[in-house]
Amino acid sequence: MPQKPPLAEPVPLAKSERQSSGELYETFLNWSGRQDHQSHRRLHKWHHYFDVYERHLARFRGTECRLLEFGVMDGGSLMMWSEYLGPQARIVGVDIDHRTKQFDKLLPNITVVVGDQSSQRVLDGLIADHGPFDIVIDDGGHTARQQISTFNGIYASVTERGVFICEDTHTSYWPEYQDAGPGTTMIEHAKKMIDQMHTVYCPEAQVARFRTPMAARPGDLLTTRFAATTFSVQFYDSMIVFEKRPRAEPFTEFR
Ligand SMILES: C[S@@+](CC[C@H](N)C(=O)[O-])C[C@H]1O[C@@H](n2cnc3c(N)ncnc32)[C@H](O)[C@@H]1O
């Protein structure tokens, strides 16, 4: 019998600079050499994020979707999203730095709002003035407080089949970003959200309900709004993707 290698055994990572594939990644790789921008706008992303973007955002291409990104910096990523999703998409960027206002209308479908992502007043204003959003990307300040309050403050308003992406969650392991108290990080917060998705299975006695046809079930089965509207929570290296989709009561049967 071949021995099973222990999963915790230290092994080296590949030294590969190409870490994704697809059209969006090619756009990123060629960004610096492009002459077609009136003024070049830098963008800053980790190479391994692009496979994740393709997996979760490709279905929005060519649709009249609305994307909200926290963290504008030089405006490059807003341009990239516009090119990828198409001119009919509405792209809204938010940054605490008032200098980013210069990137408002960088392209006709790009809007920049100056504000603090951890302010509920700012989030409510964004939803009222530019939402509801199909795609929310948090690439802002990356502290625990910012990541958690932005997620908590906007997730319920994301459209029924929308996605929320929190980037750079490696900061959950960096002490200087842990400003929400000991042990409170975005990664830990998302783990608790996974627990919420499964609370309907506790206590185990409810399993009988899940075998019963819907019409014969008494009363309502309650769960949290998060659990009732979330299809998946996916952890990637330094990213968490929440995919929304309305859930029904669980149903299991032999066929
Ligand atoms: C990593 S950069 C954004 C990069 C950009 N999305 C890109 O891909 O090119 C982070 C930005 O977040 C902004 N930021 C920091 N704290 C913020 C806050 N509390 N609210 C909104 N934006 C914030 C910074 O000013 C900075 O421009």
Coordinates of all heavy atoms in Angstrom, one line a residue, residues 42-45 69-74 76-77 94-97 100 115-118 139-142 146 168, ligand 1:
R42 N -2.7 53.1 -13.5 CA -2.2 51.9 -13.0 C -3.3 51.1 -12.3 O -4.2 51.7 -11.7 CB -1.1 52.2 -11.9 CG 0.2 52.7 -12.5 CD 1.2 52.8 -11.4 NE 0.7 53.5 -10.3 CZ 1.1 53.5 -9.1 NH1 2.2 52.7 -8.8 NH2 0.6 54.2 -8.1
L43 N -3.1 49.8 -12.3 CA -4.0 49.0 -11.5 C -3.1 48.0 -10.7 O -2.0 47.7 -11.1 CB -5.1 48.3 -12.3 CG -4.7 47.2 -13.3 CD1 -4.9 45.9 -12.7 CD2 -5.6 47.3 -14.5
H44 N -3.7 47.5 -9.6 CA -2.9 46.7 -8.6 C -3.7 45.5 -8.2 O -4.6 45.7 -7.4 CB -2.5 47.6 -7.4 CG -1.6 46.9 -6.5 ND1 -2.0 46.6 -5.2 CD2 -0.3 46.4 -6.6 CE1 -1.0 45.9 -4.6 NE2 0.0 45.8 -5.4
K45 N -3.3 44.4 -8.7 CA -4.0 43.1 -8.3 C -3.0 42.0 -8.2 O -2.0 42.0 -8.9 CB -5.1 42.7 -9.4 CG -6.2 43.7 -9.6 CD -7.2 43.7 -8.4 CE -8.4 44.6 -8.7 NZ -9.1 44.8 -7.4
E69 N -16.8 48.9 -6.5 CA -15.5 48.5 -6.0 C -15.0 49.5 -5.0 O -15.0 50.7 -5.2 CB -14.4 48.4 -7.1 CG -13.1 47.9 -6.5 CD -12.0 47.5 -7.5 OE1 -11.9 48.3 -8.5 OE2 -11.3 46.5 -7.4
F70 N -14.7 49.0 -3.8 CA -14.1 49.9 -2.7 C -12.6 49.8 -3.0 O -12.0 48.7 -3.1 CB -14.4 49.3 -1.3 CG -15.9 49.4 -1.0 CD1 -16.7 48.4 -1.2 CD2 -16.4 50.6 -0.5 CE1 -18.1 48.4 -0.9 CE2 -17.7 50.7 -0.2 CZ -18.6 49.6 -0.4
G71 N -12.0 51.0 -3.1 CA -10.6 51.1 -3.4 C -10.3 51.5 -4.9 O -10.4 50.6 -5.7
V72 N -10.1 52.8 -5.1 CA -10.0 53.2 -6.5 C -8.5 53.4 -6.9 O -8.1 53.1 -8.0 CB -10.8 54.6 -6.7 CG1 -10.5 55.2 -8.1 CG2 -12.3 54.4 -6.5
M73 N -7.7 53.9 -6.0 CA -6.3 54.2 -6.2 C -6.1 55.1 -7.4 O -6.5 56.2 -7.5 CB -5.5 52.9 -6.2 CG -4.0 53.1 -5.9 SD -3.1 51.6 -6.0 CE -3.2 51.2 -7.7
D74 N -5.6 54.5 -8.5 CA -5.3 55.3 -9.7 C -6.4 55.1 -10.8 O -6.3 55.5 -11.9 CB -4.0 54.8 -10.4 CG -2.8 55.3 -9.6 OD1 -3.0 56.2 -8.8 OD2 -1.7 54.8 -9.8
G76 N -7.3 52.4 -12.3 CA -7.0 51.4 -13.3 C -8.0 50.2 -13.3 O -8.5 49.7 -14.3
S77 N -8.3 49.8 -12.0 CA -9.2 48.6 -12.0 C -10.6 49.0 -12.4 O -11.3 48.1 -13.0 CB -9.2 48.0 -10.6 OG -9.7 49.0 -9.6
V94 N -15.3 53.6 -5.0 CA -15.4 54.4 -3.7 C -14.0 54.4 -3.1 O -13.3 53.4 -3.1 CB -16.3 53.7 -2.7 CG1 -16.5 54.6 -1.5 CG2 -17.7 53.5 -3.3
D95 N -13.6 55.6 -2.7 CA -12.3 55.7 -2.1 C -12.3 56.8 -1.1 O -13.0 57.8 -1.2 CB -11.2 56.0 -3.1 CG -9.8 55.5 -2.6 OD1 -9.3 56.1 -1.7 OD2 -9.3 54.5 -3.2
I96 N -11.6 56.6 0.0 CA -11.5 57.7 1.1 C -10.7 58.8 0.7 O -10.8 59.9 1.2 CB -11.0 57.0 2.4 CG1 -11.4 57.8 3.6 CG2 -9.5 56.7 2.3 CD1 -11.3 57.0 4.9
D97 N -9.8 58.6 -0.3 CA -8.9 59.7 -0.8 C -9.6 60.6 -1.8 O -10.0 60.1 -2.9 CB -7.7 59.0 -1.5 CG -6.6 60.0 -1.9 OD1 -6.9 61.2 -2.0 OD2 -5.5 59.5 -2.1
T100 N -9.1 60.8 -5.7 CA -9.6 59.8 -6.7 C -10.9 60.3 -7.4 O -11.3 59.8 -8.4 CB -10.0 58.5 -6.0 OG1 -11.0 58.7 -5.0 CG2 -8.8 57.9 -5.4
G115 N -15.6 58.5 -0.1 CA -16.2 58.1 1.2 C -15.5 57.0 1.9 O -14.6 56.4 1.3
D116 N -15.8 56.8 3.2 CA -15.2 55.8 4.0 C -16.0 54.5 4.0 O -17.2 54.6 4.3 CB -15.1 56.4 5.4 CG -14.4 55.4 6.4 OD1 -14.1 54.2 6.0 OD2 -14.1 55.8 7.5
Q117 N -15.4 53.4 3.5 CA -16.2 52.2 3.4 C -16.7 51.7 4.7 O -17.6 50.8 4.8 CB -15.3 51.1 2.8 CG -14.1 50.7 3.6 CD -13.3 49.5 3.0 OE1 -12.2 49.8 2.6 NE2 -13.9 48.4 2.9
S118 N -16.2 52.2 5.9 CA -16.7 51.7 7.2 C -17.8 52.5 7.7 O -18.2 52.3 8.8 CB -15.5 51.5 8.2 OG -14.7 52.6 8.1
D139 N -11.7 46.1 -2.2 CA -10.3 46.2 -2.3 C -9.8 47.6 -1.7 O -9.0 48.3 -2.3 CB -9.9 46.1 -3.8 CG -8.4 46.1 -4.0 OD1 -7.7 45.6 -3.1 OD2 -7.9 46.4 -5.1
G140 N -10.4 47.9 -0.6 CA -10.2 49.1 0.1 C -9.0 49.1 1.1 O -7.9 48.7 0.7
G141 N -9.3 49.4 2.3 CA -8.2 49.6 3.3 C -7.8 48.3 3.9 O -6.7 48.2 4.5
H142 N -8.6 47.2 3.8 CA -8.3 45.8 4.2 C -8.1 45.6 5.7 O -7.5 44.6 6.1 CB -7.0 45.4 3.5 CG -7.1 45.4 2.0 ND1 -8.1 44.9 1.3 CD2 -6.2 46.0 1.1 CE1 -7.9 45.1 0.0 NE2 -6.8 45.8 -0.1
Q146 N -12.9 47.5 8.6 CA -13.4 47.9 7.3 C -14.0 46.7 6.5 O -15.1 46.8 6.0 CB -12.2 48.5 6.4 CG -11.8 49.8 6.9 CD -10.4 50.2 6.4 OE1 -9.7 49.4 5.9 NE2 -10.1 51.5 6.6
D168 N -7.8 40.3 -0.4 CA -6.7 40.5 0.5 C -7.0 40.1 1.9 O -6.6 40.8 2.9 CB -6.2 42.0 0.4 CG -5.6 42.4 -0.9 OD1 -5.8 41.6 -1.9 OD2 -5.0 43.4 -1.0
Ligands
LIG1 C1 -5.2 48.5 -3.0 S1 -5.7 50.1 -3.4 C2 -7.0 49.9 -4.6 C3 -6.5 49.3 -5.8 C4 -7.4 49.3 -7.0 N1 -8.7 48.6 -6.7 C5 -6.8 48.5 -8.1 O1 -7.0 47.3 -8.3 O2 -6.0 49.1 -8.8 C6 -6.6 50.6 -1.9 C7 -7.4 51.9 -1.9 O3 -8.3 51.8 -0.8 C8 -8.4 53.2 -0.3 N2 -8.9 53.1 1.1 C9 -8.2 52.9 2.2 N3 -9.1 53.0 3.3 C10 -10.3 53.2 2.8 C11 -11.6 53.4 3.4 N4 -11.7 53.4 4.7 N5 -12.7 53.6 2.6 C12 -12.5 53.7 1.2 N6 -11.3 53.5 0.6 C13 -10.2 53.3 1.4 C14 -7.0 53.8 -0.5 O4 -7.1 55.2 -0.5 C15 -6.5 53.1 -1.7 O5 -6.7 54.0 -2.9

